[in-house]
Amino acid sequence: MAIDHIAQEHELAARIAHLEPNLARQLPAQVLQDFQGAIQTLVNGGIAANAAKVGEKASDFSLPDQIGDAVSLYSVLQRGPAVVVFYRGEWCPYCDLTLRAYQRILPSITALGASLIAISPQTPDSTLTTVEKKELTFSVLSDVGNVVARKYGLVFVTPEAARHPGISAANGDESWELPMPATFIVAQDGTIRLAFVDADWTHRLEPAELLKALESVATNCLKE
């Protein structure tokens, strides 16, 4: 099944590269240095190795969306494959760019018969704010306490150097737990067909790569 890929190959990386000089102008050098140190600590800790992997069955879940309606993964899979995106929160500029980039390719995702779901540990009120500010038209779910993210092996405690009030305010607690940014493609049989997980929260899956992998999943489904 062919589809017109509207995403440029390195679109998201280019936007992130443009973001970082802006952050450097807005934030003190020590804060940026602390962030980089926190990222390196997480990467060196090898936490990404614990995440759900290609070939595994995706854990089902049921979470409230931005208007309070429950959305379950396996119900979504009855309609077609699912793209499941875990993001850190409204306050994260890298998540902001990622959610907006995926919104732009949503017509291509739905044209392939798939659904897009985004999940964060934010409270429902914070999730609604995210949807409204970014004008998102896909399901954005609230995973308070990181219950689902934990099933996918994504949860970590934010290093002290990278903590700021926006995290606890959005999540409604002071656990400082967050999910690693991750993108999964789940086929209709519940099998994970793509797993992009990176402990470095500045690295995200390119929209073009997501569409390419999703097209492959959709094509295989048609053959089966």
Side-chain angles (χ1 to χ4, degrees):
M1 180 178 181
I3 188 166
D4 180 20
H5 288 180
I6 62 172
Q8 298 297 316
E9 187 175 358
H10 301 295
E11 173 200 1
L12 188 50
R15 291 179 185 273
I16 288 174
H18 182 72
L19 165 71
E20 290 179 335
N22 291 334
L23 292 178
R25 288 190 291 269
Q26 296 172 21
L27 299 174
Q30 185 59 53
V31 171
L32 293 174
Q33 184 176 333
D34 288 344
F35 283 173
Q36 287 302 316
I39 289 172
Q40 201 57 52
T41 296
L42 294 173
V43 171
N44 291 345
I47 58 174
N50 299 321
K53 297 174 176 58
V54 171
E56 296 179 355
K57 283 287 185 179
S59 295
D60 192 15
F61 55 77
S62 179
L63 293 171
D65 67 7
Q66 60 267 32
I67 59 174
D69 292 338
V71 175
S72 71
L73 174 61
Y74 279 26
S75 292
V76 170
L77 293 179
Q78 292 177 10
R79 304 192 298 268
V83 178
V84 181
V85 179
F86 288 86
Y87 70 102
R88 303 195 308 153
E90 157 70 24
W91 47 268
C92 172
Y94 299 96
C95 296
D96 175 67
L97 290 177
T98 302
L99 293 177
R100 292 181 188 274
Y102 290 178
Q103 173 66 40
R104 286 191 291 274
I105 64 167
L106 183 60
S108 294
I109 291 174
T110 56
L112 288 165
S115 301
L116 175 59
I117 300 169
I119 301 172
S120 84
Q122 295 183 141
T123 63
D125 284 347
S126 296
T127 296
L128 180 59
T129 298
T130 298
V131 171
E132 292 177 341
K133 287 177 65 175
K134 303 180 197 319
E135 298 182 334
L136 306 178
T137 58
F138 51 86
S139 294
V140 184
L141 311 184
S142 181
D143 180 26
V144 174
N146 284 292
V147 175
V148 174
R150 209 176 308 279
K151 292 180 180 180
Y152 283 74
L154 302 175
V155 180
F156 67 94
V157 177
T158 306
E160 189 169 354
R163 296 178 184 180
H164 62 82
I167 299 175
S168 55
N171 294 357
D173 63 39
E174 294 187 0
S175 67
W176 302 110
E177 289 187 337
L178 292 173
M180 285 180 285
T183 300
F184 299 96
I185 292 178
V186 184
Q188 278 195 273
D189 65 359
T191 303
I192 297 173
R193 298 291 181 87
L194 176 141
F196 180 93
V197 183
D198 200 319
D200 183 341
W201 61 70
T202 69
H203 295 166
R204 305 300 172 102
L205 179 66
E206 286 290 336
E209 293 180 32
L210 171 57
L211 289 177
K212 182 178 179 180
L214 185 57
E215 184 175 342
S216 177
V217 170
T219 300
N220 289 336
C221 286
L222 290 175
K223 293 178 180 178
E224 293 173 357

